[in-house]
C-alpha cells in the first residue's frame, strides 16, 4: 500500500468483539484512505480450537492459536487487541504492553475498580498507547454532541439521563461467561452500565457522587440483572443511569439526553444516525429538531458516503480503531476523544460505587486514584 506502513495485529477473542474489531481493521485499510497504518492481521487466539481456526480463515489472520502467549511472543505484532472475556483482560493486556505492544482492551477494563486500576497502572508504566473499548464515543452523533457542548451551544449543563436496555438476558436457561461473576465481574452493570457511565463522563464531565443499587431478578443467577443510579457531576449537573438486560422488546436501546440552559440534545442508538436538538432561542412550539448526522463536515463522515447515506453500528469501531492507529503513528494522545485505560478505570470506580451504595443504602462519594505521584 502506497505510503502506509504496516502494523501487525494480534487478536484475543474470536466471537462478538473479535468479529467486530476484525471487520473494522479490514475496512480501515480502504475506508479511511490513506490509513495511518495498514493493519496486518497476524494472529488470533481463543479457547475453542476449532472455532478460532475458523475465525482465522474467515477474517484473514495468518494463524490461529489456543495460547495467547504466542501473540505476545510474536515480534511481528505491534498492536494487541483484547476482546476476550473480562477475566482475561488483565494478564494478557499487561503482558502485551510489557512486551512493547500497543494495546486495546474491551470494556469493562477489569472486573472491578481494583483490577482496572492495576491494568491502567502497569500498562501506563510501559509507555505504549492504550485504548479502552468505549466505541460509543465514536458514534458521529455523540461526537457532534461533544463538539456542541464544548462550543457552549448548550450553555450550562444541568442534567444527563442515560439508559442502556436489552432483553436477551431474560432466559433462565442461558449459560454464558457473562453470567459468571468470576469471569464477568458483574452483569448488566459491567456489560451495559459502564457504557452509560463513560458517555456521561464524555459529555457531562466527571462524576463525583452516586446513589444507586443493583438488582438480580432471575433465581439462581449470580450477577446483577439491572442497575439504577442517581449521579452528581463535578461541574454541578445531576443525572440518572440505568441498565438492564431484562427490558422486553428493547434489543439494543442505548438512549441518552442532556439538558443545558440554552439547548437540549437527545439520542437513541436504535436511530444511530440521528441527533435530536432543541434550542431555547428557537420556536418552542416546534419542539426538537431531528438532525441527520451524515453531512461531510460532521464527525467521521468524510470517510463514508454522500450526505443522507447512513452508516451502521459496526462502523463505530472503524472510527475507534483508526483513532488509535493515528495516535500510534503520530505519537499522539488517545485522550480526550478516545477512552484511555484511565477512563476505563474511572468508569469502574463509578460502577463499584453504585454497588456499594446499594449495599449501604447511603450516597457514595467517589475518590479516584492516581498513578505516578
Amino acid at each position: 500500500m502506497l505510503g502506509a506502513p504496516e502494523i501487525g495485529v494480534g487478536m484475543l477473542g474470536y466471537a462478538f468483539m473479535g468479529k467486530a474489531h476484525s471487520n473494522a481493521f479490514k475496512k480501515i485499510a480502504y475506508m479511511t484512505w490513506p490509513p495511518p497504518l495498514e493493519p496486518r492481521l497476524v494472529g488470533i487466539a481463543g479457547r475453542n480450537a476449532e472455532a478460532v481456526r475458523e475465525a482465522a480463515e474467515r477474517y484473514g489472520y495468518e494463524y490461529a492459536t489456543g495460547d495467547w502467549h504466542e501473540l505476545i511472543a510474536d515480534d511481528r505484532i505491534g498492536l494487541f487487541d483484547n476482546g476476550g472475556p473480562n477475566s482475561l483482560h488483565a494478564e494478557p493486556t499487561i503482558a502485551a504492553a510489557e512486551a512493547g505492544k500497543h494495546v486495546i482492551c474491551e470494556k469493562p477494563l477489569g472486573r472491578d475498580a481494583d483490577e482496572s486500576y492495576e491494568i491502567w497502572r502497569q500498562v501506563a508504566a510501559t509507555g505504549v498507547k492504550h485504548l479502552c473499548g468505549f466505541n460509543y464515543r465514536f458514534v458521529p452523533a455523540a461526537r457532534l454532541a461533544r463538539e456542541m457542548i464544548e462550543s457552549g451551544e448548550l450553555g450550562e449543563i444541568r442534567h444527563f439521563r442515560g439508559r442502556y436496555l436489552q432483553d436477551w438476558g431474560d432466559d433462565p436457561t442461558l449459560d454464558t461467561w457473562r453470567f459468571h461473576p468470576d469471569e464477568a465481574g458483574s452483569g448488566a452493570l459491567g456489560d451495559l452500565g459502564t457504557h452509560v457511565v463513560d458517555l456521561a463522563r464524555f459529555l457531562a464531565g466527571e462524576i463525583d457522587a452516586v446513589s444507586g443499587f443493583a438488582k438480580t431478578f432471575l433465581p439462581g443467577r449470580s450477577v446483577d440483572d439491572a442497575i439504577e443510579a442517581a449521579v452528581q457531576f463535578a461541574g454541578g449537573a445531576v443525572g440518572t443511569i440505568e441498565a438492564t438486560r431484562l427490558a422486553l422488546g428493547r434489543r439494543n436501546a442505548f438512549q441518552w439526553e442532556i439538558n443545558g440552559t440554552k439547548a437540549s440534545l437527545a439520542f437513541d442508538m436504535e436511530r444511530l444516525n440521528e441527533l435530536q436538538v432543541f434550542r431555547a432561542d428557537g420556536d418552542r412550539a416546534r419542539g426538537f429538531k431531528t438532525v441527520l448526522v451524515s453531512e461531510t463536515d460532521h464527525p467521521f463522515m468524510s470517510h463514508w458516503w454522500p450526505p443522507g447515506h447512513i452508516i451502521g453500528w459496526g462502523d463505530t469501531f472503524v472510527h475507534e480503531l483508526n483513532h488509535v492507529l493515528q495516535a500510534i503513528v503520530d505519537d499522539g494522545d488517545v485522550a480526550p476523544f478516545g477512552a484511555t485505560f484511565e477512563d476505563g478505570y474511572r468508569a469502574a470506580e463509578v460502577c463499584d460505587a453504585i454497588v456499594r451504595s446499594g449495599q449501604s443504602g447511603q450516597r457514595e462519594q467517589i475518590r479516584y486514584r492516581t498513578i505516578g505521584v
Side-chain angles (χ1 to χ4, degrees):
M1 179 176 292
L2 294 176
E6 285 187 341
I7 185 167
V9 175
M11 179 73 66
L12 175 56
Y14 53 82
F16 185 20
M17 284 299 106
K19 182 178 184 179
H21 285 219
S22 299
N23 174 65
F25 279 125
K26 294 178 80 70
K27 281 189 174 182
I28 283 171
Y30 55 87
M31 289 308 298
T32 68
W33 184 265
L37 294 167
E38 181 185 1
R40 174 185 173 188
L41 305 185
V42 177
I44 186 169
R47 294 182 287 188
N48 183 305
E50 182 179 353
V52 76
R53 280 197 302 270
E54 180 182 313
E57 180 179 359
R58 178 178 184 177
Y59 306 139
Y61 286 88
E62 295 172 18
Y63 68 86
T65 177
D67 184 357
W68 57 263
H69 293 87
E70 291 189 32
L71 304 180
I72 306 303
D74 192 333
D75 291 337
R76 296 174 298 168
I77 292 173
L79 176 61
F80 180 76
D81 190 335
N82 192 337
N86 301 346
S87 58
L88 281 176
H89 283 185
E91 185 182 1
T93 302
I94 293 168
E98 290 179 343
K101 303 179 193 305
H102 303 291
V103 288
I104 297 166
C105 186
E106 261 305 318
K107 60 81 214 164
L109 183 58
R111 288 168 289 183
D112 57 24
D114 288 342
E115 185 172 63
S116 299
Y117 175 77
E118 281 304 309
I119 298 171
W120 170 40
R121 184 183 69 81
Q122 294 188 53
V123 168
T126 69
V128 302
K129 305 300 179 187
H130 47 88
L131 179 139
C132 187
F134 288 113
N135 62 301
Y136 297 127
R137 291 180 175 219
F138 293 88
V139 173
R143 180 65 65 84
L144 180 60
R146 166 88 177 222
E147 292 178 0
M148 294 175 68
I149 291 165
E150 289 185 333
S151 69
E153 292 183 57
L154 270 68
E156 179 186 353
I157 302 302
R158 291 169 170 166
H159 312 114
F160 174 89
R161 303 176 190 86
R163 63 180 192 171
Y164 202 154
L165 313 177
Q166 295 180 346
D167 65 359
W168 65 270
D170 193 32
D171 181 351
T173 68
L174 283 176
D175 186 22
T176 166
W177 65 264
R178 295 180 186 275
F179 294 139
H180 296 277
D182 58 333
E183 292 191 82
S186 63
L189 179 63
D191 191 17
L192 306 179
T194 188
H195 270 306
V196 188
V197 169
D198 184 70
L199 242 294
R201 294 182 60 247
F202 186 63
L203 296 178
E206 200 61 81
I207 296 171
D208 62 11
V210 302
S211 179
F213 60 89
K215 172 76 172 180
T216 302
F217 288 95
L218 271 67
R221 187 162 290 174
S222 300
V223 296
D224 58 276
D225 289 319
I227 64 102
E228 304 282 345
V231 302
Q232 178 177 298
F233 294 89
V238 296
T240 57
I241 290 172
E242 176 183 11
T244 183
R245 298 185 292 206
L246 304 184
L248 298 183
R250 298 295 185 183
R251 304 301 290 164
N252 195 36
F254 184 9
Q255 303 159 337
W256 52 261
E257 180 173 323
I258 188 162
N259 308 128
T261 54
K262 296 180 180 179
S264 292
L265 305 174
F267 173 80
D268 183 346
M269 195 167 65
E270 292 181 342
R271 302 185 69 87
L272 182 143
N273 291 269
E274 297 178 3
L275 183 66
Q276 301 293 318
V277 180
F278 175 83
R279 300 183 187 276
D281 59 359
D283 184 348
R284 291 174 181 260
R286 294 184 180 178
F288 279 83
K289 174 183 178 181
T290 299
V291 176
L292 186 62
V293 188
S294 66
E295 297 296 318
T296 55
D297 61 346
H298 284 152
F300 312 113
M301 295 309 297
S302 61
H303 299 312
W304 298 103
W305 322 115
H309 295 72
I310 60 179
I311 63 169
W313 174 85
D315 298 322
T316 65
F317 295 98
V318 176
H319 307 153
E320 180 181 50
L321 300 182
N322 184 69
H323 177 80
V324 76
L325 293 181
Q326 194 69 59
I328 291 169
V329 79
D330 292 342
D331 192 23
D333 294 328
V334 170
F337 297 116
T340 65
F341 282 8
E342 181 177 6
D343 291 303
Y345 154 68
R346 286 178 174 247
E349 200 71 82
V350 175
C351 290
D352 279 15
I354 292 170
V355 173
R356 292 197 305 273
S357 177
Q359 293 169 343
S360 68
Q362 303 294 318
R363 182 184 185 208
E364 286 283 327
Q365 197 76 25
I366 302 172
R367 293 175 176 81
Y368 298 102
R369 287 168 268 185
T370 60
I371 59 175
V373 294

